[in-house]
Amino acid sequence: MKSTLRKLMKIFGIVFVVAVIGLAVYIMANGLGLVDGLDFGAGAYYYADIPQFAKYVNGEHFKSAFPMWIHIVLFLIWGVLMYRLWIWLDKKL
């Protein structure tokens, strides 16, 4: 039973890696995520390289019914949950 599970996990891992690489190539080939008018070549994917990037992430553009601190707390909770999941998976596998 364990060897079957390990084989399935290995196959899933390979399929996952191939899918991620395929998606990355698709995203880069179609220029998804780039800001129109800002062409910096490969560096365009590193938003820290974009001049005046702060104006694109200005808090005034983000509208929500909830205060920002709730989003931050939810993000931190999600991070803790994912960390605990990885620890649990590491112990199981």
Side-chain angles (χ1 to χ4, degrees):
M1 182 70 175
K2 281 190 176 185
S3 64
T4 304
L5 181 61
R6 286 180 191 247
K7 287 179 185 178
L8 286 174
M9 291 299 289
K10 184 175 182 178
I11 291 170
F12 175 75
I14 291 170
V15 169
F16 182 76
V17 167
V18 170
V20 167
I21 292 171
L23 284 171
V25 169
Y26 175 79
I27 288 169
M28 289 187 291
N30 292 301
L32 303 177
L34 296 175
V35 178
D36 290 338
L38 295 177
D39 185 15
F40 297 102
Y45 288 97
Y46 299 99
Y47 297 114
D49 293 346
I50 297 175
Q52 301 173 350
F53 181 66
K55 73 179 182 180
Y56 297 105
V57 293
N58 186 349
E60 295 173 5
H61 297 293
F62 180 71
K63 303 291 183 207
S64 174
F66 301 102
M68 181 59 78
W69 70 267
I70 291 177
H71 294 278
I72 294 170
V73 168
L74 288 174
F75 175 76
L76 293 173
I77 290 171
W78 177 255
V80 169
L81 289 174
M82 291 301 100
Y83 175 76
R84 292 180 63 101
L85 173 67
W86 282 116
I87 295 296
W88 180 78
L89 285 173
D90 191 43
K91 288 179 182 176
K92 288 289 185 184
L93 302 176

